[in-house]
């Protein structure tokens, strides 16, 4: 039986019944023959209970207004424990510490990025303990561990911390001889000063991938609430279909350009070690889901999926001086670099550069700085639609199909971007997003 890391997302641990299903699934990954040595035991990563990270952030904001509210957070967890016939003791200490942390925020009247990471960490710290307690109660030897206690170390870029290289050796060392199923907190870690950090929203997928690479497992399983990676977000396109096999490159592109099903950083650790990643559905465990692999030769299909981003800001930088000058683009990117803002899309003509930053932060400062070298026009309320697939590189006629579908749906394309790659992105007015996505989906998949 293959050795796996299994990550269960928020909805997969969202209530008692879901957690029972998690236990059933974990059981299927324990090889009875390997029980004696236990070396083949799966490692489990969990997210916070669904919606919990948002609730914790809200509690922090309330604490800033001197309102110490954690009833909903407490009730959700206690209800799950009660339904699973587990005692409140499992998370008693965490609830107490959460209360203290909120009080500290209220007293200080300030919530910095590190304190926010610490606040959010309570979600995963509690869910991991509940899942481990339930596994034990159904006869699976299990232990909850905080990721930082098994070796996850990051830099101090709170809110979006980056894993330090020593993490891989730390994990291999601490988990190699595991004697039970270890249930590890996704999303969080600690920096070298011992302060709690987070890997960015949705970061539990990344935790699982790092563990998979460190332990050199046979497969990394991402258990979520849909049948794998689909041709589009089924919340927007109910006709979306599950994709059987996709390449690491295509999956990364989809994740980066908005498909929330995977955190964009998930793929890299897996790809380096060529460990397959499988995206599976906790609510439909027998469905084969999506297999993500490096061997592109084995993958069929021209266009794999459509991703999208809402609330995109488009910055158009126009300079007649750009004509025949060198160094203009480097001046433009210097400004983005100054504010540590990365960009999603760039398109240039002779006099205009169009850029979409991947965050709404620092736009005013960026506009001001760019205005020193060019005319700058900022357009809010745009949306980005990205069509992803290897076929974009080598199949004629794909682009014309995309634009014909958009044209027939009366969607005006404002900016187009495609490098020699596997992704073609367009910027449209936000109100046209749904119509545009559905039109392209119908053209390629229906
Ligand atoms: P989890 O809590 O398990 O990490 P997420 O909510 O982060 O789950 O990700 C799963 C969700 O991603 C799905 O419910 C779906 O709405 C959304 N999603 C967006 N794009 C895609 C896609 N291409 N394929 C599948 N799901 C997608
Ligand atoms: N709980 C975190 C979040 O909501 C991490 C995750 O779910 O992967 O962003
Ligand atoms: Mg997620």
């Amino acid at each position: 039986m293959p050795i796996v890391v299994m990550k269960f997302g928020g909805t997969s641990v969202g209530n008692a019944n879901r957690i029972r299903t998690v236990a059933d699934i974990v059981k299927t990954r324990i090889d009875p023959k390997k029980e004696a040595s236990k070396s083949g035991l799966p490692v489990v990563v969990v997210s916070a209970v669904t919606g919990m990270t948002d609730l914790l952030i809200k509690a922090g904001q309330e604490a800033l207004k001197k309102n110490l509210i954690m009833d909903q957070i407490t009730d959700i967890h206690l209800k799950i424990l009660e339904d699973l016939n587990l005692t409140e003791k499992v998370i008693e200490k965490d609830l107490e510490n959460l209360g203290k942390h909120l009080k500290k925020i209220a007293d200080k009247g300030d919530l910095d990025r590190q304190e926010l990471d610490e606040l959010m960490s309570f979600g995963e710290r509690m869910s991991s303990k509940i899942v481990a307690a339930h596994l034990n109660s159904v006869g699976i030897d299990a232990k909850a561990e905080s990721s930082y206690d098994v070796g996850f170390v990051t830099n101090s870029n709170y809110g979006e911390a980056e894993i330090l290289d020593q993490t891989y050796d730390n994990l291999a060392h601490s988990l190699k001889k595991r004697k039970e199923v270890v249930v590890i907190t996704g999303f969080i870690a600690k920096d070298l000063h011992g302060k709690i950090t987070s890997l960015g929203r949705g970061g539990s997928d990344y935790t699982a991938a790092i563990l998979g690479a460190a332990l050199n497992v046979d497969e990394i399983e991402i258990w979520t609430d849909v049948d794998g990676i689909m041709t589009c977000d089924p919340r927007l396109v109910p006709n979306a279909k599950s994709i059987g096999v996709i390449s690491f490159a295509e999956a990364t592109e989809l994740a980066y350009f908005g498909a929330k099903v995977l955190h964009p950083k998930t793929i890299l650790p897996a790809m380096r070690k060529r460990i397959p990643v499988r995206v599976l559905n906790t609510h439909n465990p027998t469905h084969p889901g999506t297999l993500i692999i490096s061997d592109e030769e084995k993958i069929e299909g021209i266009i794999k999926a459509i991703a999208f981003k809402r609330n995109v800001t488009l910055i158009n930088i126009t300079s007649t001086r750009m004509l025949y000058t060198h160094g203009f683009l480097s001046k433009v990117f210097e400004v983005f670099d100054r504010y540590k803002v990365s960009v999603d899309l760039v398109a240039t003509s002779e006099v205009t550069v169009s850029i979409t930053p991947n965050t709404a932060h620092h736009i005013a400062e960026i506009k001001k700085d760019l205005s020193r070298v060019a005319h700058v026009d900022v357009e809010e309320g745009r949306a980005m639609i990205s069509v992803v697939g290897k076929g974009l590189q080598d199949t004629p006629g794909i682009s014309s199909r995309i634009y014909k579908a958009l044209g027939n749906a009366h969607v005006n394309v404002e900016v187009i971007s495609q490098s020699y790659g596997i992704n073609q992105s367009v910027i449209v007015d936000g109100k046209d997003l749904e119509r545009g996505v559905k039109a392209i989906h119908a053209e390629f998949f229906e």
Side-chain angles (χ1 to χ4, degrees), residues 404-434:
K404 203 164 147 223
L406 288 170
N408 289 343
H410 305 288
V411 175
N412 181 43
V413 174
E414 297 176 0
V415 180
I416 300 172
S417 166
Q418 182 186 349
S419 62
Y420 180 72
I422 56 171
N423 169 19
Q424 188 160 134
S425 296
V426 295
I427 300 294
V428 300
D429 190 324
K431 68 176 171 31
D432 292 340
L433 172 71
E434 186 164 343

Side-chain angles (χ1 to χ4, degrees), residues 26-142:
V26 170
K27 207 176 249 170
T28 63
R29 300 297 190 268
I30 299 176
D31 186 346
K33 283 184 237 122
K34 282 207 176 143
E35 274 284 292
S37 71
K38 307 255 182 180
S39 57
L41 283 170
V43 174
V44 173
V45 174
V46 287
S47 293
V49 168
T50 181
M52 193 48 62
T53 310
D54 290 332
L55 280 177
L56 286 160
I57 296 170
K58 219 167 108 198
Q61 285 157 352
E62 286 299 317
L64 285 176
K65 295 186 236 157
K66 310 276 179 227
N67 298 328
L68 291 177
I69 306 171
M70 51 181 283
D71 299 3
Q72 209 182 345
I73 294 169
T74 307
D75 292 351
I76 290 172
H77 288 104
L78 294 189
K79 168 96 173 72
I80 296 177
L81 284 169
E82 188 190 336
D83 292 348
L84 291 171
N85 282 325
L86 295 169
T87 115
E88 295 181 17
K89 283 209 161 46
V90 175
I91 55 163
E92 201 172 49
K93 200 92 206 125
D94 292 299
L95 287 174
E96 198 186 307
N97 287 336
L98 172 59
K100 282 186 195 157
H101 190 62
L102 288 171
K103 180 150 187 326
K104 189 175 121 191
I105 293 164
D107 290 346
K108 236 178 96 187
D110 182 38
L111 176 59
D112 66 29
R113 282 162 67 91
Q114 194 284 319
E115 284 159 345
L116 181 62
D117 279 357
E118 192 161 339
L119 178 59
M120 293 191 291
S121 76
F122 282 97
E124 272 72 10
R125 284 152 73 184
M126 292 194 274
S127 63
S128 57
K129 285 176 189 147
I130 296 173
V131 170
H134 175 66
L135 290 177
N136 279 308
S137 77
V138 296
I140 301 170
D141 285 347

Side-chain angles (χ1 to χ4, degrees), residues 7 9-10 47 202-205 224 260-263:
K7 176 260 172 176
S47 293
S204 299
D205 300 329
T224 183
K260 194 191 162 203
V261 64
L262 271 190
H263 186 277

Side-chain angles (χ1 to χ4, degrees), residues 7 9-11 223-226 228-230 232-235 259-261:
K7 176 260 172 176
T11 50
W223 288 87
T224 183
D225 60 352
V226 285
I229 301 180
M230 308 186 78
C232 193
D233 186 344
R235 278 186 235 183
K260 194 191 162 203
V261 64

Side-chain angles (χ1 to χ4, degrees), residues 5-297:
V5 167
M6 320 172 74
K7 176 260 172 176
F8 293 93
T11 50
S12 302
V13 296
N15 60 39
N17 267 338
R18 299 265 161 84
I19 295 175
R20 287 191 191 99
T21 307
V22 167
D24 293 340
I25 295 170
V26 170
K27 207 176 249 170
T28 63
R29 300 297 190 268
I30 299 176
D31 186 346
K33 283 184 237 122
K34 282 207 176 143
E35 274 284 292
S37 71
K38 307 255 182 180
S39 57
L41 283 170
V43 174
V44 173
V45 174
V46 287
S47 293
V49 168
T50 181
M52 193 48 62
T53 310
D54 290 332
L55 280 177
L56 286 160
I57 296 170
K58 219 167 108 198
Q61 285 157 352
E62 286 299 317
L64 285 176
K65 295 186 236 157
K66 310 276 179 227
N67 298 328
L68 291 177
I69 306 171
M70 51 181 283
D71 299 3
Q72 209 182 345
I73 294 169
T74 307
D75 292 351
I76 290 172
H77 288 104
L78 294 189
K79 168 96 173 72
I80 296 177
L81 284 169
E82 188 190 336
D83 292 348
L84 291 171
N85 282 325
L86 295 169
T87 115
E88 295 181 17
K89 283 209 161 46
V90 175
I91 55 163
E92 201 172 49
K93 200 92 206 125
D94 292 299
L95 287 174
E96 198 186 307
N97 287 336
L98 172 59
K100 282 186 195 157
H101 190 62
L102 288 171
K103 180 150 187 326
K104 189 175 121 191
I105 293 164
D107 290 346
K108 236 178 96 187
D110 182 38
L111 176 59
D112 66 29
R113 282 162 67 91
Q114 194 284 319
E115 284 159 345
L116 181 62
D117 279 357
E118 192 161 339
L119 178 59
M120 293 191 291
S121 76
F122 282 97
E124 272 72 10
R125 284 152 73 184
M126 292 194 274
S127 63
S128 57
K129 285 176 189 147
I130 296 173
V131 170
H134 175 66
L135 290 177
N136 279 308
S137 77
V138 296
I140 301 170
D141 285 347
K143 180 164 86 172
E145 286 278 18
S146 293
S147 51
Y148 38 81
D149 290 332
V150 289
F152 273 86
V153 199
T154 65
N155 64 11
S156 302
N157 183 19
Y158 304 113
E160 197 78 42
E162 200 35 72
I163 293 291
L164 301 184
D165 282 347
Q166 66 240 51
T167 297
Y168 292 92
D169 283 345
N170 292 350
L171 293 174
H173 184 256
S174 68
L175 292 168
K176 201 167 179 188
K177 294 198 176 118
R178 56 193 180 275
K179 299 215 161 30
E180 58 267 284
V181 173
V182 185
V183 183
I184 296 175
T185 56
F187 175 54
I188 56 168
K190 274 189 182 172
D191 64 11
L192 290 170
H193 312 289
K195 299 274 185 201
I196 292 185
T197 60
S198 82
L199 309 180
R201 294 302 303 270
S204 299
D205 300 329
Y206 188 34
T207 306
I210 293 159
L211 271 161
L215 301 176
N216 219 351
V217 297
D218 298 301
E219 203 163 282
I220 297 161
E221 297 181 347
I222 305 291
W223 288 87
T224 183
D225 60 352
V226 285
D227 291 334
I229 301 180
M230 308 186 78
T231 49
C232 193
D233 186 344
R235 278 186 235 183
L236 191 79
V237 180
N239 288 340
K241 295 170 186 59
S242 170
I243 302 168
V245 190
I246 192 168
S247 70
F248 280 126
E250 289 166 324
T252 306
E253 207 76 18
L254 277 175
Y256 189 81
F257 283 92
K260 194 191 162 203
V261 64
L262 271 190
H263 186 277
K265 288 183 185 165
T266 312
I267 303 301
L268 202 62
M271 196 164 80
R272 277 201 201 117
K273 289 236 171 156
R274 298 177 78 89
I275 300 173
V277 177
R278 200 181 282 273
V279 184
L280 293 150
N281 189 352
T282 312
H283 314 320
N284 188 13
T286 52
H287 192 283
T290 301
L291 184 64
I292 311 173
I293 54 171
S294 50
D295 196 347
E296 292 182 0
E297 304 307 307

